[in-house]
């Protein structure tokens, strides 16, 4: 049931100002098809005040309004955290300039196109090893068999951790991400402490190598350790950046891979189209990102009282910028609720699945590479894909994905 929890606020619409709509963003955010709720937001309440949370927060859902928030980082900042709770002392996506710019400068070289090219062959080997289970007809949980371990192994490669520790990383990432959507903060704290301790051990190993004059491994922990020795990062920032790379680089990509399989099962003609023209794979990845954005929308907090549409919002109010809704806005996208691989290539990357502006996802090149490698294998080897039961969606309402996806394949 929808509850009367909303005062609709539409720009210039007295009718919407005065009308209480039977709608709850929190109730609908984890629907199997959350885009149905996003349409309600765009059409009926482009500025939505969600009362089913303490404290209440706002949501913007139209493309232009989302962009307006994202292009004002001094007013709408990240320093209170990208989740619904107020969390201070973060890094990168949870920080503002100048700290954000300094941290991003250190990490930028990790995700350079040249780095991604050098990583591609290692990722192909990881992909091919995991894909062996799909070489014969069968059934199983695609999340468990491939969508989760592939990006987990990839982020392990980049960070410089042992791939056998992926189960630890899985548990830590799940608990941390759940906290962003209002989950158990005690579990978040426990996961953070264990993850930070693990990263500290890796940093200590590299500091010892530096002391001996030995060569460091070519990985992100080494890059950050060198930055620490040069005074560019603190040990605390290395812990937090490793944490953010894990969560952003693992959970969201796993969701994207599962969502791609889910859509190819529902629309087998899409798989056939890719089989007949494999040059479409990169464009297809962009379309899947637009259509099913794994990050539904992150939060910003305003530094001062300000207007949004025709409402004045008090300082330090949480507001969710709905990337996923913006990516289905018919004011920007023709036929937005269809997956189409014939969209203009010049527009293909203009979706907001990775955000926009100064906080654009630094790991986007890695996510794109992993998705292309996975889709290549899907197109090359699978003839049919059948989803066997309705998949359960991930609980944090800021994300979109499945906790499991049972499929049958040939």
């Amino acid at each position: 049931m929808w509850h009367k929890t909303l005062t609709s606020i539409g720009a210039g619409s007295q009718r919407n100002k005065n009308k209480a709509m039977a709608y709850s963003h929190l109730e609908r955010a984890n629907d199997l098809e959350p885009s149905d709720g996003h349409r309600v937001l765009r059409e009926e309440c482009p500025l939505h005040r969600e009362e089913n949370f303490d404290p209440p927060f706002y949501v913007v859902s139209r493309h232009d309004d989302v962009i307006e928030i994202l292009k004002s980082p001094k007013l709408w900042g990240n320093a209170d955290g990208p989740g619904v709770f107020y969390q201070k002392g973060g890094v990168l996506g949870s920080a503002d300039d100048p700290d954000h710019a300094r941290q991003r400068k250190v990490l930028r070289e990790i995700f350079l196109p040249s780095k991604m090219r050098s990583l591609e062959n290692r990722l192909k080997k990881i992909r091919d090893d995991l894909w062996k289970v799909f070489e014969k007809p069968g059934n199983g949980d695609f999340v468990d068999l491939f969508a989760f371990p592939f990006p987990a192994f990839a982020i392990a490669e980049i960070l410089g951790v042992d791939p056998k520790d992926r189960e630890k990383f899985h548990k830590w990432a799940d608990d941390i991400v759940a906290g962003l959507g209002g989950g158990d903060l005690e579990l978040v704290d426990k996961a953070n402490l264990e993850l930070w301790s693990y990263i500290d051990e890796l940093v200590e190993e590299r500091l010892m190598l530096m002391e001996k004059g030995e060569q460091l491994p070519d990985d992100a922990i080494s890059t950050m350790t060198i930055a620490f020795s040069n005074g560019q990062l603190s040990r605390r920032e290395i812990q937090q950046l490793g944490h953010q790379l894990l969560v952003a680089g693992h959970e969201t990509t796993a969701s994207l891979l599962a969502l791609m399989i889910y859509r190819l099962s529902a629309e087998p003609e899409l798989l056939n189209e890719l089989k007949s023209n494999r040059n479409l794979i990169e464009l297809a990845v962009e379309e899947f990102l637009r259509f099913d954005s794994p990050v539904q929308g992150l939060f910003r907090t305003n530094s001062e009282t300000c207007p949004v549409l025709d409402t004045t919002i008090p300082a330090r109010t949480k507001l969710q910028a709905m990337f996923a809704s913006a990516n289905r806005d018919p004011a920007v996208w023709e036929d937005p609720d269809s997956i189409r691989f014939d969209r203009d290539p010049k527009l293909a990357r203009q979706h907001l699945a990775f955000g926009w502006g100064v906080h654009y996802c630094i790991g986007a090149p890695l996510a794109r590479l992993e998705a292309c490698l996975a889709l290549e294998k899907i197109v090359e080897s699978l003839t049919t894909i059948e989803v066997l039961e309705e998949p359960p969606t991930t609980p944090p309402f800021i994300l979109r994905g499945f906790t499991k996806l049972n499929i049958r394949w040939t």
Side-chain angles (χ1 to χ4, degrees), residues 243-256:
H243 157 291
Q244 202 160 113
L245 289 175
L246 164 65
V247 175
H250 164 215
E251 291 279 338
T252 53
T253 305
S255 295
L256 173 62

Side-chain angles (χ1 to χ4, degrees), residues 5-269:
T5 60
L6 163 73
T7 298
S8 285
I9 306 164
S13 172
Q14 188 64 39
R15 178 181 63 86
N16 279 349
K17 286 182 190 175
N18 299 330
K19 172 176 131 177
M21 278 191 58
Y23 184 84
S24 168
H25 173 55
L26 284 179
E27 284 190 6
R28 302 298 306 279
N30 292 117
D31 285 357
L32 187 60
E33 297 291 351
S35 59
D36 294 339
H38 299 166
R39 188 180 305 109
V40 175
L41 289 173
R42 288 193 307 272
E43 294 176 359
E44 301 293 340
C45 45
L47 178 63
H48 164 52
R49 178 176 164 88
E50 181 58 49
E51 299 285 357
N52 281 356
F53 195 82
D54 184 20
F57 60 86
Y58 287 88
V59 182
V60 290
S61 51
R62 291 178 179 171
H63 182 276
D64 287 354
D65 297 332
V66 171
I67 290 288
E68 191 66 28
I69 297 297
L70 298 182
K71 76 178 186 182
S72 306
K74 289 184 178 179
L75 175 60
W76 289 99
N78 283 43
D80 282 308
V84 68
F85 287 116
Y86 292 83
Q87 295 176 307
K88 301 293 287 184
V91 294
L92 206 61
S94 303
D96 294 323
D97 289 342
D99 289 336
H100 163 261
R102 171 176 52 82
Q103 296 154 2
R104 193 177 184 96
K105 183 177 180 181
V106 172
L107 293 188
R108 189 177 294 126
E109 68 176 85
I110 296 168
F111 297 101
L112 289 172
S114 58
K115 285 278 190 179
M116 293 299 99
R117 285 192 293 271
S118 68
L119 185 66
E120 185 170 349
N121 285 337
R122 284 144 63 193
L123 292 190
K124 281 182 177 178
K125 185 177 187 313
I126 292 170
R127 175 200 66 181
D128 293 347
D129 288 344
L130 288 169
W131 198 260
K132 289 176 182 176
V133 69
F134 299 101
E135 290 175 354
K136 295 180 180 179
N139 62 78
D141 178 5
F142 184 75
V143 172
D144 183 60
L145 293 172
F146 187 83
F148 160 69
F150 183 42
F153 277 20
I155 205 64
E157 282 283 324
I158 286 178
L159 283 172
V161 303
D162 193 325
K164 75 176 186 295
D165 289 328
R166 67 187 186 276
E167 289 302 327
K168 291 181 186 176
F169 273 57
H170 188 193
K171 181 67 167 61
W172 293 334
D174 279 351
D175 289 345
I176 292 165
V177 170
L180 293 176
D184 189 336
L185 292 185
E186 288 186 9
L187 288 179
V188 174
D189 290 341
K190 182 175 183 293
N192 284 338
L193 290 173
E194 292 175 358
L195 175 60
W196 293 337
S197 176
Y198 188 94
I199 291 170
D200 260 345
E201 292 175 12
L202 298 180
V203 172
E204 284 297 328
E205 290 173 6
R206 282 148 182 79
L207 287 172
M208 289 178 63
L209 290 174
M210 291 174 69
E211 200 172 306
K212 296 175 182 176
E214 297 181 15
Q215 185 173 354
L216 299 184
D218 183 16
D219 57 43
I221 296 293
S222 294
T223 298
M224 290 189 286
T225 303
I226 293 169
F228 166 70
S229 69
N230 293 336
Q232 295 172 278
L233 292 178
S234 69
R235 286 290 290 266
R236 174 66 171 155
E237 286 176 322
I238 294 176
Q239 290 177 335
Q240 293 176 297
L241 288 168
H243 157 291
Q244 202 160 113
L245 289 175
L246 164 65
V247 175
H250 164 215
E251 291 279 338
T252 53
T253 305
S255 295
L256 173 62
L257 303 185
L259 287 161
M260 289 196 307
I261 280 282
Y262 180 75
R263 296 304 180 188
L264 291 172
S265 169
E267 301 183 53
E269 64 274 13

